Amino acid sequence: MDYVVVDIETAGKGIRNNRITEICIVRMNENTILDKFTSLVNPQVRIPNFITGLTGIDDDMVRTAPLFEEIAAKIIEITEDAVFVAHNVTFDYSVLRSEFRYLGYNYSRQRLCTVRLAKKLMPGMLSYSLGRLCSTLGIPLVNRHRAEGDTDATVILFQRLMSLDDGGIVFDSYLNSRKTTLAPNIDREILEGLPQRPGVYYFKNRHDKIIYVGKAIRIRERVLSHFYDKKNKEYDLCQATATIDFLETGNELIALLLEADEIQNHYPMFNVTQKKLRAPYCIIHYINRKGIIQFAIDRKTAADLGAVTFYRREEAVARLRQICEEFTLCPRFTALQSSKEGCSHYEIKDCHKVCEGKESVAIYNIRAKRAISELHKNRDNYAIICKGRTQEEHSFVLVKDSIYQGYGFFDRDQGIEGLDDLETFLTARKNTYHTMRIISSYLNANPKSIKLVVPQEFVH
């Protein structure tokens, strides 16, 4: 069995909505180090001073570091078919899973916690913090609170714990502790009939009402995981479930989109996320009291999704900075500077000083209007071509005028010569904040995906 020992440093916002600033992963078996990966990560948020004081990682260090989406494939590769190990594994694993969720990917691994293992195999220690254990056991710990230093120390600790577990009894007990508590109302044949293919599954009560919607790459495996989970919410869900239905989608992207749509349609009582239609960010403009066209960042309504939509505020700020530089706009009037004084942006220095009355408002507004036109042009029209439900078909996700239209399936030998041809096979779906964010995250994570108006290989 292979293990991956992992440590991450973060921007310090607990588990929910936290962002990674550094990661180190060591892949190993009982005696040998097989691979190692270490990288700083640009968290796309500011790093608080107290985190910098603890880790030494500041905004300048991560400014040119890769984004998480740029190293996600490497993380998946190095941790594939291995047990995920960390000191306080709940934290590291949960934050990492959260990062993958931003990309629309369901990251799942078996896991072991060296804190729990140490308490079982080394009882009576005064403290089970990594620093105290290393000090007590004589394990070198260099660069404390940096990912590589903490990971190297955890590897040695983990090897010590393996040597203390004669026959692997304790390790096996933790790996196999998730005993099934199958819901008493579900026919076992229903579970055995679930496919190990991508799709969406539905938990229904005895009145045939949908009480939970989920998506999975392997439907049966994901459904069974609910019954292995000992959390109260999962137990209540399984006890309330009388039957399970599913729809195959052929790939994870359509599964994600269908899940988001079905949650909005059925509002299942056991689903927590995606029920609320959140408003994304957008760049707005208006004429201020001085007659100057002013730009700002605001939230769009859920029903008003279009080309100038951003799912994180930092993305909107980046686009606004780009427009400001391209059209020589004043940072003071583009929401990049809150000061009412003359502009003094730390990066953008090229301003013709409309803020100080040295440039006429009329001349400035001409450039501002060009910037507005630039923001609103190039509305996207494309189809993402994916795997189908069988070897004989393809699937597609259609976006027109930057608005999600829905998805569909077509036979491989079907003559497709344009987006209009795909509409024949389209299952129309609602365009929402969640669906457009799923598509955006997918394209960021899969930059080489087939995203063409008419992919040549599909033209006959």
Side-chain angles (χ1 to χ4, degrees), residues 183 203 211-212 226 232-241 270:
F203 283 31
I211 58 176
Y212 183 81
H226 288 281
N232 290 338
K233 188 185 80 169
E234 295 285 2
Y235 176 81
D236 292 341
L237 168 63
C238 296
Q239 293 298 307
T241 301
F270 283 97

Side-chain angles (χ1 to χ4, degrees), residues 60-121:
D60 288 335
M61 288 177 63
V62 299
R63 198 179 307 280
T64 58
L67 302 176
F68 182 82
E69 63 196 41
E70 295 174 301
I71 63 171
K74 175 62 178 177
I75 294 172
I76 292 171
E77 176 189 351
I78 196 174
T79 63
E80 189 74 22
D81 297 321
V83 177
F84 188 105
V85 180
H87 204 71
N88 187 13
V89 72
T90 299
F91 175 82
D92 299 83
Y93 183 78
S94 298
V95 173
L96 192 59
R97 286 199 73 187
S98 178
E99 288 279 10
F100 276 109
R101 284 195 194 100
Y102 286 131
L103 304 180
Y105 181 86
N106 181 35
Y107 182 83
S108 179
R109 300 288 185 269
Q110 275 192 298
R111 50 201 180 275
L112 284 171
C113 180
T114 50
V115 175
R116 294 185 66 191
L117 289 170
K119 288 180 178 179
K120 186 72 173 179
L121 295 167

Side-chain angles (χ1 to χ4, degrees), residues 87 127-137 139 141 144:
H87 204 71
S127 171
Y128 289 91
S129 70
L130 183 61
R132 283 291 186 91
L133 281 175
C134 289
S135 178
T136 302
L137 300 174
I139 296 174
L141 179 52
R144 181 76 173 107

Side-chain angles (χ1 to χ4, degrees), residues 325-391:
E325 292 175 342
E326 183 177 351
F327 293 93
T328 323
L329 302 181
C330 176
R332 177 181 166 187
F333 300 117
T334 54
L336 298 176
Q337 178 182 323
S338 58
S339 171
K340 295 183 180 180
E341 307 294 329
C343 65
S344 58
H345 193 270
Y346 70 100
E347 281 186 348
I348 303 172
K349 307 295 184 184
D350 192 11
C351 172
H352 296 326
K353 298 302 178 183
V354 67
C355 51
E356 297 178 6
K358 295 180 181 179
E359 180 186 29
S360 75
V361 171
I363 296 296
Y364 178 85
N365 282 349
I366 290 173
R367 295 198 306 278
K369 289 176 181 178
R370 291 174 182 165
I372 293 168
S373 297
E374 179 68 21
L375 282 170
H376 288 273
K377 77 176 186 180
N378 297 327
R379 297 173 70 87
D380 290 328
N381 293 275
Y382 60 87
I384 304 172
I385 309 299
C386 305
K387 291 180 180 179
R389 297 161 296 187
T390 68
Q391 292 294 326

Side-chain angles (χ1 to χ4, degrees), residues 439-452:
I439 293 171
S440 176
S441 297
Y442 176 84
L443 292 174
N444 287 335
N446 301 275
K448 295 182 180 180
S449 61
I450 299 175
K451 177 181 172 286
L452 300 171

Side-chain angles (χ1 to χ4, degrees), residues 181-385:
T181 54
L182 290 176
N185 303 318
I186 300 178
D187 190 329
R188 187 174 291 273
E189 290 183 0
I190 292 176
L191 298 175
E192 292 175 353
L194 296 172
Q196 283 288 66
R197 291 186 290 273
V200 169
Y201 57 91
Y202 306 83
F203 283 31
K204 300 180 178 180
N205 64 15
R206 60 189 179 90
H207 302 295
D208 207 37
K209 179 180 176 61
I210 295 172
I211 58 176
Y212 183 81
V213 177
K215 70 91 191 169
I217 299 176
R218 293 174 288 276
I219 293 175
R220 183 169 58 187
E221 181 180 315
R222 181 67 186 96
V223 167
L224 289 176
S225 73
H226 288 281
F227 302 124
Y228 288 116
D229 201 317
K230 294 182 178 180
K231 293 177 182 176
N232 290 338
K233 188 185 80 169
E234 295 285 2
Y235 176 81
D236 292 341
L237 168 63
C238 296
Q239 293 298 307
T241 301
T243 189
I244 298 170
D245 203 354
F246 66 90
L247 281 175
E248 290 189 39
T249 61
N251 57 81
E252 188 180 19
L253 173 59
I254 294 180
L256 282 163
L257 293 168
L258 180 56
E259 177 196 36
D261 195 60
E262 294 289 63
I263 289 173
Q264 287 296 317
N265 288 340
H266 300 286
Y267 217 70
M269 64 180 295
F270 283 97
N271 283 97
V272 177
T273 60
Q274 300 193 62
K275 283 186 174 181
K276 185 177 181 181
L277 285 176
R278 297 175 58 192
Y281 294 95
C282 67
I283 297 173
I284 65 170
H285 61 273
Y286 59 92
I287 298 177
N288 65 21
R289 293 179 180 179
K290 295 182 178 181
I292 298 172
I293 295 177
Q294 183 146 349
F295 293 81
I297 296 173
D298 201 359
R299 305 298 290 258
K300 299 188 79 164
T301 65
D304 182 28
L305 301 179
V308 194
T309 298
F310 306 91
Y311 302 102
R312 297 179 187 170
R313 193 178 191 281
E314 54 266 30
E315 293 173 352
V317 171
R319 179 61 174 141
L320 196 53
R321 183 182 293 116
Q322 184 183 34
I323 287 294
C324 185
E325 292 175 342
E326 183 177 351
F327 293 93
T328 323
L329 302 181
C330 176
R332 177 181 166 187
F333 300 117
T334 54
L336 298 176
Q337 178 182 323
S338 58
S339 171
K340 295 183 180 180
E341 307 294 329
C343 65
S344 58
H345 193 270
Y346 70 100
E347 281 186 348
I348 303 172
K349 307 295 184 184
D350 192 11
C351 172
H352 296 326
K353 298 302 178 183
V354 67
C355 51
E356 297 178 6
K358 295 180 181 179
E359 180 186 29
S360 75
V361 171
I363 296 296
Y364 178 85
N365 282 349
I366 290 173
R367 295 198 306 278
K369 289 176 181 178
R370 291 174 182 165
I372 293 168
S373 297
E374 179 68 21
L375 282 170
H376 288 273
K377 77 176 186 180
N378 297 327
R379 297 173 70 87
D380 290 328
N381 293 275
Y382 60 87
I384 304 172
I385 309 299

Side-chain angles (χ1 to χ4, degrees), residues 384-452:
I384 304 172
I385 309 299
C386 305
K387 291 180 180 179
R389 297 161 296 187
T390 68
Q391 292 294 326
E392 290 73 38
E393 73 176 8
H394 292 298
S395 67
F396 67 92
V397 172
L398 183 63
V399 174
K400 295 188 73 174
D401 291 331
S402 296
I403 295 175
Y404 168 58
Q405 304 294 310
Y407 65 87
F409 304 90
F410 62 93
D411 292 340
R412 284 178 176 266
D413 59 0
Q414 184 74 42
I416 298 296
E417 298 182 357
L419 295 185
D420 290 342
D421 293 340
L422 291 177
E423 292 193 30
T424 304
F425 309 97
L426 182 70
T427 299
R429 294 288 177 174
K430 290 180 180 179
N431 177 67
T432 67
Y433 168 88
H434 298 295
T435 55
M436 287 308 297
R437 179 161 186 174
I438 288 167
I439 293 171
S440 176
S441 297
Y442 176 84
L443 292 174
N444 287 335
N446 301 275
K448 295 182 180 180
S449 61
I450 299 175
K451 177 181 172 286
L452 300 171

